[in-house]
Amino acid sequence: MPDTDAAETPDDASPDPSVADRARNVLSENGTGMVQDLLFAFAWVGLVSLLYDFAFSAAPQWVLYMFMLAGIPAYFGFFISLEIARERGAR
């Protein structure tokens, strides 16, 4: 006996937006912020990698992890100070 609570067939389902449509929607709403976040992450990881490889080459690996974790407060500090500077400049 067929189950009446079975999953809907594709013909009965409401049309879901495609992955491309959802990605386009998210990027249009948050694109600038996402790009800024990505650029900050690349810059931070690049800077930390260079410091660890050249300036602190004899340091243990946990130093690298601490530098990477320091990126979290650095991120928020940078963008909060940027917002404050924008507010002061707008006055």
Side-chain angles (χ1 to χ4, degrees):
M1 185 154 125
D3 188 20
T4 57
D5 293 336
E8 296 178 350
T9 60
D11 296 335
D12 297 344
S14 62
D16 289 332
S18 69
V19 174
D21 291 336
R22 285 185 280 168
R24 205 174 297 116
N25 186 27
V26 167
L27 285 174
S28 68
E29 292 175 0
N30 306 310
T32 304
M34 291 172 69
V35 170
Q36 288 174 347
D37 295 347
L38 184 63
L39 289 175
F40 183 87
F42 280 143
W44 186 262
V45 170
L47 176 68
V48 167
S49 296
L50 288 173
L51 281 174
Y52 183 73
D53 288 343
F54 297 109
F56 302 103
S57 59
Q61 192 162 8
W62 62 266
V63 172
L64 172 67
Y65 298 141
M66 292 298 114
F67 274 138
M68 290 294 181
L69 281 174
I72 297 168
Y75 168 83
F76 287 106
F78 176 74
F79 283 105
I80 289 171
S81 66
L82 186 63
E83 187 65 30
I84 291 171
R86 285 180 182 161
E87 287 176 3
R88 287 185 182 170
R91 287 185 207 176

